Amino acid sequence: MSRRSDRKENTSTPERELNGALLVNPRAVCNVCKRLYRDPKILPCLHTFCSDCVAQLEPFSVSSPGGEEGGDVGGGSGTVTVLCPDCDSEVDLPPAGPAGLSTDHLALDDVFLETLVTDGPLGCDLCGEGAAESRCEVCCVNLCEFCCQAHRRQKRTSSHSVQTLKELKSRGRLCRPVLCSLHPGQELRLFCQPCDLPVCLECAATLHRDHRCCPTRDVADRHGDRIRELVSGRLRPLLDRLEESVQKVEVSQEALQVRVETTANEVRTFARGYASAVEAHCLSLLHRLEEIHVQRRNQLHLQKAQLKQALLDVQGGVNFAERLLSCGSDAEILSAKGVTLRRLTNLAESSYDPHPATVAPDDCSSICFIAREPAGEVDAYPVVGVINYKTVDLSKCTIEGEGLHLGREGQRGHFTLVCRDAAGEQMTRGGEHVLVSVVDKEKKNRTVETTVVDNNDGSYGVSYTAEEPGTFSVRVCVRAQHVKGSPFILNVKRKTRRHAGTFHCCSFCSSGGSKEARCGCPGTMPGGFKGCGHSHKGHPGKPHWSCCGSTVEQSECLPPSVLAAVSPRGHLRTVEL
């Protein structure tokens, strides 16, 4: 319902075009119908429109006399509120409608002046025959030359100020008499103070007969002073403050526009620089990816060449041996057995192991792009995105833990393989193909079961259990390649020495029946267990053998400094030499 945009269009220039003619004074034109004012009425917001234009405004709201909205618009019993076409203010129309609004006589003067300028010469208001050349500013009538002379000769009007129309046109201001709407032809010369209305003589004699009516010139100054007081005392300072505030806002708008344009240029410059940096980073990533491609391709090529060479060597040895066995005579076999066995033994022990488990398939998943990983700066612009390819450097891998070189019979050994990159840094993720095999060096067909656990941090826990003592070869391979130092030598020792002496049953019996003797376990004498055939109560531990007061397992032999002797009761006891 807002008409501000239309209003801005209409007031963008002080000159308007009406029916093809250029009008000098826009105050003579209605902003709604775009024509000269016809019966101009002043709304409470002090904007003027034609009476018919006001009547055609769409009601914004209608309130009944009781204060409720929704009354009858055409009934005249309620208050009609409309929106001002100029300022969008909500204004109430009087019950009488647009006719009850005050007439804008200044607008009529502007219309009269505009008509005078555009329509050419006017007729005389007194005789109606001659062309008007002058105007009496007191009587507000246009006079021809003859009537002007007569007007000046009359005693009642001789003192009136008479100006030529040419002078008035140059001044741009004309005065017209304000006539009574009830008595046409009667000028409003009196002011009824109780009704607060200007009236004519007939109105004062009839409708306002008992009211106090004064000449308009006697009260105009007083009411004009009130208007001037409001204008000069309150509204003019407010106007100055508003104008100053508007100027400040305009300055802020200009500063905002400048700031926005400057910032936009900075954003564009940054975007161009960032785009250039991203493009450079993209080329760098592609270059890095190509380097990884060449490096990995060369590794696979070398691995394939090694496997092919090993294949040719083993295939050649097997073919020769099979041909020797199938086609050779006994003498030929015996004559060639030496060199054949040496070659076959060498191939079996030192050849590149072609077992499928040692050559795990690689899907190259270790090569990946991490989009959100910070990648430093390019031309002072921070960039993200890295090619992740931290490959394991077999020469940098380390073995942690003593379980790799020394083990115990029947006990579970453990060591940790730590995979590292070329810089010696531990890999941050797992997933490598790790193969660990433990083989008896003397009995090639005897292997030890191993378990490899991926810790997902670049380390791998390896555990094994050697059931028998001996010397074992430990092969630790990552991606079918031996790590540095592989194969390793593992010596598995017996848990204890084989027993070569006499077992003793308990501390009580071994001490010759001494009740003060202490068992090797936390228990105290008197005590023991029924394993010796005697009823020794109070022993809290598990059945075990005691040798000179120390706890030993049943499979452990007596120390060299202890001899077994028979007690008087026929039980075994120990004696130190």
Side-chain angles (χ1 to χ4, degrees):
M1 298 178 67
S2 175
R3 300 180 179 86
R4 294 184 184 273
S5 59
D6 297 338
R7 184 173 67 254
K8 290 180 180 178
E9 281 184 8
N10 298 334
T11 59
S12 59
T13 174
E15 296 182 348
R16 302 170 187 268
E17 190 171 321
L18 183 64
N19 298 328
L22 187 64
L23 301 181
V24 177
N25 188 5
R27 292 189 297 269
V29 178
C30 174
N31 279 344
V32 175
C33 64
K34 311 303 180 191
R35 294 184 295 181
L36 293 177
Y37 282 118
R38 292 170 297 174
D39 191 15
K41 296 296 182 179
I42 305 174
L43 294 179
C45 59
L46 300 184
H47 289 125
T48 301
F49 304 96
C50 298
S51 176
D52 292 340
C53 295
V54 175
Q56 294 175 1
L57 293 178
E58 183 179 356
F60 182 74
S61 64
V62 179
S63 59
S64 62
E68 298 181 358
E69 294 188 357
D72 186 7
V73 178
S77 58
T79 301
V80 178
T81 302
V82 297
L83 293 178
C84 173
D86 272 359
C87 64
D88 279 344
S89 298
E90 298 180 15
V91 293
D92 295 334
L93 297 181
L101 297 172
S102 300
T103 301
D104 190 348
H105 294 283
L106 294 177
L108 290 176
D109 292 340
D110 292 329
V111 171
F112 179 75
L113 178 62
E114 197 64 36
T115 303
L116 179 64
V117 173
T118 57
D119 293 345
L122 300 176
C124 178
D125 290 335
L126 295 182
C127 66
E129 298 179 356
E133 295 182 357
S134 303
R135 181 177 177 81
C136 176
E137 293 187 335
V138 177
C139 299
C140 295
V141 292
N142 298 324
L143 304 172
C144 63
E145 183 179 0
F146 177 79
C147 293
C148 179
Q149 295 176 359
H151 199 69
R152 289 180 177 178
R153 286 196 300 266
Q154 292 180 7
K155 183 176 182 180
R156 186 173 60 87
T157 60
S158 60
S159 61
H160 291 185
S161 174
V162 179
Q163 301 290 334
T164 63
L165 293 179
K166 185 176 181 180
E167 292 177 355
L168 293 176
K169 291 179 182 180
S170 63
R171 292 190 330 197
R173 183 74 179 90
L174 290 177
C175 294
R176 297 175 61 259
V178 180
L179 303 180
C180 180
S181 59
L182 300 178
H183 304 94
Q186 292 290 329
E187 187 177 354
L188 300 179
R189 295 181 178 274
L190 300 176
F191 183 79
C192 178
Q193 295 187 12
C195 297
D196 196 27
L197 289 173
V199 295
C200 65
L201 293 175
E202 292 188 18
C203 289
T206 57
L207 300 176
H208 302 270
R209 179 176 53 187
D210 297 330
H211 296 173
R212 181 183 176 184
C213 295
C214 304
T216 55
R217 62 176 177 271
D218 294 342
V219 296
D221 291 340
R222 178 162 54 86
H223 290 282
D225 290 341
R226 292 181 58 190
I227 296 175
R228 278 187 289 272
E229 180 182 355
L230 282 173
V231 171
S232 61
R234 299 178 62 182
L235 296 179
R236 181 61 65 179
L238 177 60
L239 180 63
D240 294 339
R241 291 194 300 270
L242 290 174
E243 289 178 349
E244 182 180 358
S245 300
V246 169
Q247 292 177 356
K248 291 180 179 179
V249 172
E250 290 176 350
V251 171
S252 299
Q253 288 177 329
E254 294 176 359
L256 173 63
Q257 185 64 28
V258 172
R259 183 69 260 174
V260 168
E261 291 178 357
T262 302
T263 305
N265 292 332
E266 292 176 355
V267 170
R268 295 187 186 97
T269 302
F270 172 80
R272 287 192 294 268
Y274 212 146
S276 177
V278 170
E279 183 65 24
H281 182 53
C282 175
L283 295 177
S284 175
L285 291 176
L286 294 177
H287 179 70
R288 170 60 180 159
L289 184 60
E290 182 60 24
E291 289 181 346
I292 294 173
H293 175 215
V294 173
Q295 176 187 355
R296 184 60 182 151
R297 182 184 62 190
N298 292 340
Q299 290 175 352
L300 293 175
H301 180 74
L302 176 60
Q303 185 180 16
K304 182 179 179 180
Q306 291 175 344
L307 288 171
K308 279 191 171 184
Q309 185 61 48
L311 176 62
L312 291 174
D313 293 343
V314 174
Q315 188 175 13
V318 170
N319 291 340
F320 181 84
E322 289 179 348
R323 188 170 64 86
L324 177 63
L325 294 176
S326 61
C327 301
S329 62
D330 294 340
E332 290 173 339
I333 294 175
L334 293 176
S335 63
K337 72 159 181 83
V339 64
T340 302
L341 288 175
R342 285 193 299 270
R343 176 57 177 169
L344 295 180
T345 302
N346 180 265
L347 290 175
E349 292 182 354
S350 60
S351 178
Y352 197 84
D353 190 354
H355 193 276
T358 63
V359 187
D362 185 7
D363 59 359
C364 297
S365 59
S366 58
I367 303 175
C368 62
F369 175 67
I370 305 178
R372 299 184 181 275
E373 184 75 14
E377 294 184 351
V378 176
D379 297 334
Y381 292 97
V383 293
V384 295
V386 296
I387 299 294
N388 184 39
Y389 183 62
K390 292 184 67 176
T391 56
V392 177
D393 189 338
L394 300 179
S395 63
K396 301 292 184 180
C397 295
T398 58
I399 303 295
E400 298 179 357
E402 295 296 331
L404 176 62
H405 303 289
L406 183 62
R408 286 284 186 178
E409 176 188 5
Q411 292 184 351
R412 194 167 186 81
H414 182 273
F415 63 89
T416 302
L417 168 65
V418 180
C419 294
R420 303 182 184 276
D421 57 15
E425 298 292 334
Q426 180 174 337
M427 301 293 289
T428 57
R429 63 184 186 89
E432 298 292 343
H433 297 287
V434 177
L435 177 66
V436 179
S437 61
V438 181
V439 182
D440 195 325
K441 289 183 67 67
E442 297 178 356
K443 301 177 181 179
K444 299 297 184 180
N445 60 344
R446 188 174 69 173
T447 60
V448 177
E449 182 181 357
T450 59
T451 303
V452 180
V453 178
D454 188 350
N455 298 324
N456 294 319
D457 59 357
S459 65
Y460 301 82
V462 181
S463 58
Y464 62 89
T465 302
E467 300 295 341
E468 297 182 10
T471 302
F472 294 84
S473 175
V474 182
R475 294 184 178 185
V476 181
C477 298
V478 178
R479 294 184 181 178
Q481 299 288 329
H482 287 276
V483 300
K484 185 179 180 180
S486 178
F488 303 94
I489 302 300
L490 170 64
N491 293 317
V492 178
K493 297 183 177 181
R494 293 185 180 276
K495 185 176 182 182
T496 56
R497 290 175 297 171
R498 291 188 178 276
H499 187 267
T502 304
F503 292 115
H504 293 247
C505 62
C506 66
S507 298
F508 179 79
C509 295
S510 298
S511 64
S514 175
K515 294 183 178 181
E516 289 77 15
R518 289 182 176 274
C519 180
C521 71
T524 58
M525 295 297 291
F529 57 95
K530 297 182 179 180
C532 63
H534 299 85
S535 179
H536 303 309
K537 298 180 181 180
H539 191 285
K542 65 181 180 178
H544 63 274
W545 301 84
S546 178
C547 188
C548 296
S550 61
T551 302
V552 295
E553 295 293 338
Q554 182 176 356
S555 61
E556 192 166 341
C557 67
L558 295 172
S561 60
V562 177
L563 292 179
V566 179
S567 67
R569 297 183 181 182
H571 297 289
L572 296 177
R573 61 186 182 90
T574 57
V575 179
E576 290 192 15
L577 296 177

